Amino acid sequence: HVPHYNVPVLFRGELVVTIHDLIHLRDPAFSGSFVSRAYASPLLRLAVRKARRIVTVSNYSKKQLVEQLGVSEEKIAVIYNGVHPRFREIDHEAACKRVKMDLFLDPPFFLYVGNLKPHKNVELLLRAFGLWRARRVSNHILVLVGDGKRQRELLEALCARLGIVRYVRFIPFVDDQLLPFLYGAADLFVTPSRMEGFGYPVVEAMACGTPVVCSRASALPEIAGDAAEFFDPTSCEDLAAALEKLLQSSDYRNSLRRRGLERARVFAWEECGRNHAELYAKLMSV
């Protein structure tokens, strides 16, 4: 079982391959690049030819494999990822105290977690946040957790043009043990991504009881279910309105929090393991 599409080229035995997404083929920021043409595309096509069964992490990714690479549906098994038990509901005041002590971060804030690559659509988040701030007097800041030197420079320049530099905090890295406290201290978690095969941070935020504002794109509606406020990932106006909607209603935030905690229980590593074991047993019995 190769847990990525970089299968061993000369291997002649039986293969199960996990393909998480087709972002390198589907997203314009990657699809025409040298990495995509020389590495990702050839290896993905080799992987689907050589594999006896392909595992993917959402029905959205399954659909992409069928449509983009011509894989038969019968060859694909959808097995959701799990979320680590460390991502759990933490008392809000305790979480705020911890992030203030370790990250010198004063709530209230909105939170984004992920890398800063173009398909993550952080530019739209900054524009929407600037639009929201222009309409509302608030001491909320936007905290962006994610690395990428070149992308960060571009985003910082955008913050300067939008006049929101003092209201945006970039944090390149947060330790796994501290990350649940950061989720727990945030008033909202926002993911504006245009393309995801799964969307780990959404599940982590839900497991921590943080209300989620989520783009209506790719696998994200499937993963978040009814536990998020969705918006159009091409519309700053739509995202700004979603932020305002949640801040205006504590009842709605609490409803999303409860639904998120329930939804996160679907994503358990034990279930993921059982599904893989059943797949292996089935293949070995034929």
Side-chain angles (χ1 to χ4, degrees):
H1 183 173
V2 182
H4 190 47
Y5 61 74
N6 54 345
V7 298
V9 175
L10 300 180
F11 184 74
R12 294 289 180 262
E14 297 279 297
L15 271 180
V16 175
V17 179
T18 297
I19 298 176
H20 295 266
D21 57 61
L22 295 183
I23 290 173
H24 279 93
L25 299 188
R26 296 271 296 135
D27 192 272
F30 296 107
S31 58
S33 69
F34 175 78
V35 171
S36 176
R37 288 183 284 108
Y39 176 78
S41 181
L43 276 181
L44 278 164
R45 296 176 193 283
L46 177 67
V48 300
R49 285 201 309 271
K50 290 174 72 72
R52 184 172 171 194
R53 191 74 87 245
I54 296 167
V55 175
T56 194
V57 294
S58 65
N59 286 296
Y60 169 81
S61 287
K62 176 180 179 177
K63 186 171 183 286
Q64 294 301 306
L65 285 163
V66 172
E67 293 179 354
Q68 298 296 312
L69 296 179
V71 184
S72 66
E73 292 192 19
E74 296 74 21
K75 192 175 180 177
I76 306 170
V78 175
I79 301 178
Y80 286 146
N81 291 318
V83 61
H84 196 283
R86 75 167 66 91
F87 294 100
R88 67 195 190 284
E89 192 171 18
I90 298 171
D91 176 75
H92 182 71
E93 294 303 319
C96 290
K97 183 177 179 180
R98 177 70 182 273
V99 300
K100 186 172 183 177
M101 179 177 64
D102 287 16
L103 296 172
F104 308 103
L105 186 61
D106 287 314
F109 60 87
F110 305 144
L111 178 65
Y112 164 83
V113 176
N115 64 54
L116 304 178
K117 293 177 180 178
H119 73 281
K120 296 295 187 178
N121 208 18
V122 180
E123 179 180 332
L124 180 125
L125 172 55
L126 292 173
R127 293 185 183 279
F129 179 68
L131 183 62
W132 175 81
R133 281 204 60 87
R135 297 172 175 173
R136 190 185 226 270
V137 177
S138 174
N139 56 351
H140 279 82
I141 66 170
L142 175 61
V143 176
L144 305 175
V145 178
D147 206 2
K149 185 175 184 295
R150 175 57 180 158
Q151 289 88 353
R152 175 171 171 172
E153 290 173 351
L154 294 172
L155 294 172
E156 286 177 331
L158 176 60
C159 289
R161 293 196 298 274
L162 295 172
I164 58 173
V165 170
R166 62 184 292 194
Y167 305 111
V168 178
R169 171 86 178 270
F170 287 86
I171 303 177
F173 173 78
V174 173
D175 182 86
D176 285 345
Q177 301 303 319
L178 181 58
L179 191 53
F181 290 90
L182 190 59
Y183 282 120
D187 281 3
L188 305 174
F189 172 78
V190 188
T191 183
S193 185
R194 296 191 306 266
M195 194 167 293
E196 295 289 343
F198 183 75
Y200 263 117
V202 168
V203 180
E204 293 170 353
M206 292 191 302
C208 291
T210 308
V212 172
V213 180
C214 184
S215 66
R216 194 181 295 105
S218 59
L220 294 173
E222 175 186 347
I223 299 305
D226 68 347
E229 173 66 22
F230 292 100
F231 64 91
D232 178 354
T234 68
S235 172
C236 296
E237 183 69 47
D238 208 25
L239 175 49
L243 296 176
E244 184 62 19
K245 179 179 179 180
L246 263 70
L247 283 187
Q248 283 183 343
S249 174
S250 59
D251 287 343
Y252 186 43
R253 291 197 304 275
N254 288 331
S255 173
L256 285 184
R257 181 177 292 110
R258 290 191 299 270
R259 281 184 266 165
L261 290 166
E262 183 66 26
R263 179 64 178 164
R265 295 190 183 99
V266 171
F267 305 100
W269 283 121
E270 292 83 357
E271 181 68 13
C272 178
R274 279 194 295 271
N275 288 334
H276 278 87
E278 288 173 7
L279 175 64
Y280 300 152
K282 183 178 180 180
L283 291 175
M284 293 170 69
S285 67
V286 177

